[in-house]
Amino acid sequence: MDQQAEIRDFLASRRARLSPEDAGVPLFGGTRRVPGLRREEVAHLAGVSVDYYNRLERGRARGVSAEVLDAVARALQLDDVERDHLFDLFGTPAQSATRRPPRARPSGVRPTVQAVLDGLSMPAFVQNARLEMIAANQLGRALYAAPGEQQMTLPFSLPRLLFLDPRSADFYREPARVMRAQVALLRTAAGRDPDDEALVQLVGQLSTRSADFRTLWATHDVQRYREGVKRFRHPVVGDLDFVGESFELASDPSLVLLTYTVEPGSPTAEALRLLASWTAEAPVR
């Protein structure tokens, strides 16, 4: 990815959303020709020269210190995820436990991790930074199975399902919310590891074929995994409601273990029993 363009567009998008009033910048009348803050206003708030901030926003500053990036983050009122993304874009070590250097990209999981997945009585998966499921238990495979099939094939790309597969319109009950979250997670991953060629190809494919993806990608929003409600309409068992939880794998922080927890005695719990029965004889692929 073009790192200079990524830096420029991210900082410009954060400037545009912050009003002078919110930033505490005095207004002296006249017409403002840009939405949000001007570059010189951000420079003043961050305590750097206008020339230096201009070079920084264009991605042409070299050896930017953590102190300067912290000052810019405070000026633009970035949250923790956005701050880490800014540090990732500049390749500057951040004093944050959430930021780690990129590692090798595994294509599968260790047998012990698969055993953990198989021991769970709820849909569970292991997902990489490209939002590909590279491991799943039986209920997880059955949840995302295509109509007429009992098991999905791994690796399974959630972004391609959401943005390129027509069945996603019926499968996701809140597609707009899911789209925003997935694009923000991919944007975060791209900032952390811009040399991931498979991720670059994925973004290129989605940008070419999906107007929804192009629009959301241009917002430069970023996000970490977090707990959240997940609502589906399965072609076999109907509506399903989960609370998703995520856990980094200690042996490989580039992977995340996802579980879809179920309220006992709920309609979703009964639907999962039917789903388990439906897939009981299905071969694992």
Side-chain angles (χ1 to χ4, degrees):
M1 294 188 180
D2 184 339
Q3 208 63 357
Q4 287 188 355
E6 291 293 310
I7 291 169
R8 179 193 66 227
D9 294 344
F10 177 67
L11 287 175
S13 71
R14 301 309 91 168
R15 276 196 299 110
R17 72 173 186 184
L18 189 60
S19 71
E21 294 86 354
D22 290 339
V25 174
L27 296 175
F28 300 104
T31 302
R32 296 180 66 88
R33 288 185 282 181
V34 297
L37 295 181
R38 300 184 177 104
R39 291 193 186 94
E40 56 267 27
E41 292 167 338
V42 178
H44 174 74
L45 291 169
V48 299
S49 71
V50 175
D51 177 68
Y52 184 78
Y53 181 79
N54 285 337
R55 287 189 287 116
L56 187 148
E57 186 170 303
R58 294 179 182 125
R60 295 175 181 171
R62 296 291 179 264
V64 182
S65 69
E67 290 76 15
V68 167
L69 293 183
D70 264 330
V72 171
R74 288 193 298 271
L76 292 173
Q77 300 181 15
L78 304 186
D79 63 25
D80 289 345
V81 183
E82 293 168 328
R83 173 188 175 276
D84 284 355
H85 184 63
L86 179 64
F87 275 77
D88 284 329
L89 290 176
F90 279 94
T92 301
Q95 300 300 314
S96 170
T98 63
R99 184 180 187 276
R100 297 179 174 89
R103 297 189 177 191
R105 305 174 188 105
S107 58
V109 299
R110 292 177 291 111
T112 51
V113 175
Q114 184 63 55
V116 169
L117 294 174
D118 293 337
L120 296 174
S121 59
M122 63 190 74
F125 321 85
V126 171
Q127 188 169 280
N128 62 22
R130 297 187 295 275
L131 309 188
E132 291 174 335
M133 292 177 178
I134 62 172
N137 62 6
Q138 187 180 35
L139 278 174
R141 289 170 177 264
L143 175 62
Y144 284 94
E149 298 184 11
Q150 289 179 302
Q151 300 282 355
M152 70 179 184
T153 301
L154 299 175
F156 184 83
S157 173
L158 290 175
R160 289 189 174 96
L161 167 66
L162 181 60
F163 289 101
L164 303 182
D165 191 330
R167 79 182 178 104
S168 67
D170 295 322
F171 181 62
Y172 289 102
R173 286 157 56 197
E174 298 176 313
R177 180 174 64 83
V178 179
M179 285 179 179
R180 287 193 300 272
Q182 285 202 10
V183 173
L185 288 168
L186 287 175
R187 175 67 77 178
T188 304
R192 184 176 297 118
D193 191 1
D195 296 323
D196 185 344
E197 288 298 327
L199 177 56
V200 172
Q201 292 173 8
L202 173 65
V203 170
Q205 180 189 39
L206 296 178
S207 297
T208 299
R209 298 177 57 185
S210 170
D212 288 330
F213 183 87
R214 288 195 300 274
T215 299
L216 291 168
W217 188 253
T219 67
H220 286 263
D221 289 339
V222 289
Q223 181 177 310
R224 293 191 194 119
Y225 287 97
R226 58 193 180 197
E227 174 190 322
V229 174
K230 297 183 178 295
R231 296 187 174 96
F232 305 98
R233 180 163 290 120
H234 193 274
V236 174
V237 298
D239 288 359
L240 298 167
D241 294 271
F242 303 103
V243 175
E245 293 279 0
S246 61
F247 310 87
E248 282 188 353
L249 295 185
S251 59
D252 193 331
S254 70
L255 300 179
V256 175
L257 190 152
L258 302 173
T259 61
Y260 291 177
T261 61
V262 185
E263 182 182 350
S266 65
T268 296
E270 177 59 29
L272 282 185
R273 282 192 286 272
L274 293 175
L275 192 59
S277 174
W278 179 64
T279 62
E281 302 301 323
V284 176
R285 290 186 284 162

